[in-house]
C-alpha cells in the first residue's frame, strides 16, 4: 500500500551498473510481506558496521558517468534517519529530503534507490526519514510505519489523514536544518513514493519559501481540505511520476491532484504516466527522476 513491488526477480536492466555497493541487506528490516522497491536493479553488499543506531559506514558506488567519484558518507542517527552525504572532497551543494518511503515500509526500502541516484548526483545529499509506527485504520488498527492514517481504499484525497500535520512538521524540520547549514531553498528538493509522495506534496507546497522542487512518485495530494498553497511555493516545480495501472493509488487521483494544484496556482506541475506500471517504480521512472533532479539541482 505504501511501498513498491512485492516481488523481486533477477532481472537486471542493462542501464544499471553491474557493481553497485549500497546499504546492507543486514540493515533492511526483516518483515514478512515487506513491500520492496523495483525488481532487483541493484546488487546489495553487506555493511554490518552500520547495524548499531548512530553508526556509519563508507560504501563504494561504481556507476557510469561518475568518473573519479569517491565513496559517499552514509550514516544513521538515533531516530533511524539515514543520510547519504557526498564523499570527502566533493562539495555538498544540494539536498534531497527523500525518497520518503510509503505505508508499511521504512527508509531502508528506498536506500538502494537513493544510493543509485546519488551515484549520478555525487554533489547531492540524501536524507531519508522514517515514519512513526502508529495504528492504521485500514490495517484494522494494527500499528505499522505510517505518515498519517488511511481509513479505506476509497478516494484518498477526501480522507482526514490524521497525523499528516505532524509528518509535515518532521519534514519541514529537515528542510530547515539544511537551510540552517547554509543551503539556499532552491537547492533543496523534497520527494517520496506513495504515502511519502503525498507527504512531499503536502509539505513542500505549503513551505513558506520556493524550493528546488517537489518529487512525487505514485502519490497524490492528501488532506485537500487542510491544504493551502503558500504564495512562495507556487513557484516550486513539481514532477509527478505515476503508473497508469496503479490499483492502490489510482491514476485518476494523480490526475485530480495535478488539476487541483494547478488550479490552486502551482505554476509548473508535470505529470508523467507510465503505461502498464502498477504501484511500483520502474527503471525507466528512476532514470526520469535522475534526469529531473539533474535539471533542478545541477552541479555548480
Amino acid at each position: 500500500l505504501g511501498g513498491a513491488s512485492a516481488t523481486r526477480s533477477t532481472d537486471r536492466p542493462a542501464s544499471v551498473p553491474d557493481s553497485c555497493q549500497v546499504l546492507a541487506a543486514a540493515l533492511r528490516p526483516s518483515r514478512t510481506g515487506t513491500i520492496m522497491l523495483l525488481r532487483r536493479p541493484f546488487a546489495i553488499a553487506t555493511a554490518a558496521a552500520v547495524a548499531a543506531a548512530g553508526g556509519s559506514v563508507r560504501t563504494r558506488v561504481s556507476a557510469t558517468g561518475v568518473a573519479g567519484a569517491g565513496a559517499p558518507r552514509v550514516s544513521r542517527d538515533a531516530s533511524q534517519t539515514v543520510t547519504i552525504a557526498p564523499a570527502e572532497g566533493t562539495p555538498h551543494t544540494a539536498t534531497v529530503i527523500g525518497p520518503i518511503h510509503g505505508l508499511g515500509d521504512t527508509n531502508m526500502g528506498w536506500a538502494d534507490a537513493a544510493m543509485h541516484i546519488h551515484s549520478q548526483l555525487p554533489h547531492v545529499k540524501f536524507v531519508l526519514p522514517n515514519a512513526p509506527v502508529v495504528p492504521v485504520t485500514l490495517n484494522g488498527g494494527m500499528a505499522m510505519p505510517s505518515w498519517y492514517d488511511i481509513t479505506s481504499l476509497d478516494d484518498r484525497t477526501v480522507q482526514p489523514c490524521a497525523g499528516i500535520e505532524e509528518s509535515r512538521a518532521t519534514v519541514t524540520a529537515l528542510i530547515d536544518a539544511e537551510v540552517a547549514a547554509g543551503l539556499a531553498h532552491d537547492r533543496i528538493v523534497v520527494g517520496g513514493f506513495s504515502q511519502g509522495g503525498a507527504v512531499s506534496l503536502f509539505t513542500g507546497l505549503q513551505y513558506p519559501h520556493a524550493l528546488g522542487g517537489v518529487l512525487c512518485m505514485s502519490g497524490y495530494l492528501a488532506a485537500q481540505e487542510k491544504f493551502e498553497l503558500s504564495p512562495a511555493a507556487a513557484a516550486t516545480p513539481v514532477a509527478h511520476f505515476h503508473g497508469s495501472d496503479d490499483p492502490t493509488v489510482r491514476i485518476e487521483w494523480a490526475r485530480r491532484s495535478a488539476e487541483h494544484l494547478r488550479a490552486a496556482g502551482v505554476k509548473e506541475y508535470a505529470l508523467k504516466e507510465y503505461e502498464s506500471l502498477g504501484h511500483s517504480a520502474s527503471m525507466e521512472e528512476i532514470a526520469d527522476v535522475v534526469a529531473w533532479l539533474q535539471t533542478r539541482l545541477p552541479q555548480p
Side-chain angles (χ1 to χ4, degrees):
L1 293 172
S5 174
T7 61
R8 295 174 68 122
S9 73
T10 56
D11 295 340
R12 288 177 60 83
S15 60
V16 177
D18 287 334
S19 174
C20 197
Q21 286 192 321
V22 297
L23 290 178
L27 278 177
R28 190 183 304 281
S30 177
R31 292 178 281 116
T32 302
T34 296
I35 306 173
M36 305 299 289
L37 167 71
L38 306 177
R39 293 176 176 80
R40 199 173 178 78
F42 309 108
I44 301 174
T46 300
V50 197
S56 62
V57 67
R58 299 277 182 98
T59 62
R60 280 204 289 264
V61 177
S62 174
T64 58
V66 196
R73 294 168 292 159
V74 181
S75 62
R76 185 172 64 184
D77 66 18
S79 71
Q80 302 301 301
T81 295
V82 170
T83 299
I84 301 169
E88 289 184 11
T90 299
H92 164 220
T93 62
T95 292
V96 172
I97 308 299
I100 301 172
H101 69 80
L103 178 69
D105 202 359
T106 73
N107 53 12
M108 293 310 300
W110 279 88
D112 294 352
M115 286 293 290
H116 173 67
I117 298 169
H118 172 80
S119 75
Q120 310 302 306
L121 295 130
H123 60 289
V124 178
K125 178 168 78 173
F126 290 79
V127 180
L128 288 74
N130 254 342
V133 176
V134 294
V136 175
T137 301
L138 181 63
N139 199 33
M142 295 181 62
M144 64 193 309
S146 181
W147 294 107
Y148 54 86
D149 192 31
I150 294 178
T151 56
S152 73
L153 292 174
D154 297 333
D155 191 347
R156 307 280 185 82
T157 62
V158 297
Q159 293 182 22
C161 304
I164 196 168
E165 289 290 359
E166 290 80 359
S167 294
R168 174 189 172 194
T170 295
V171 176
T172 295
L174 293 175
I175 298 171
D176 290 344
E178 294 303 304
V179 174
L183 281 185
H185 291 100
D186 64 1
R187 298 294 292 173
I188 301 170
V189 165
V190 180
F193 178 83
S194 193
Q195 201 185 44
V199 168
S200 298
L201 288 173
F202 191 80
T203 302
L205 295 180
Q206 295 191 93
Y207 194 74
H209 301 276
L211 299 175
V214 171
L215 168 66
C216 180
M217 295 177 282
S218 301
Y220 60 100
L221 178 61
Q224 285 189 9
E225 293 184 358
K226 302 177 184 178
F227 176 85
E228 184 175 350
L229 178 69
S230 81
T236 298
V238 178
H240 190 155
F241 303 104
H242 212 107
S244 62
D245 290 353
D246 192 332
T248 305
V249 179
R250 295 197 286 271
I251 189 63
E252 291 81 7
W253 303 348
R255 293 168 182 163
R256 289 208 301 270
S257 295
E259 292 171 1
H260 179 89
L261 289 168
R262 288 168 183 151
V266 175
K267 297 176 182 178
E268 183 180 339
Y269 195 112
L271 172 60
K272 180 171 182 178
E273 302 179 16
Y274 297 84
E275 185 177 357
S276 302
L277 181 65
H279 196 58
S280 61
S282 67
M283 287 310 303
E284 178 188 2
E285 180 179 354
I286 294 299
D288 288 340
V289 167
V290 170
W292 182 76
L293 287 173
Q294 287 172 334
T295 65
R296 297 310 314 157
L297 304 174
Q299 188 163 15

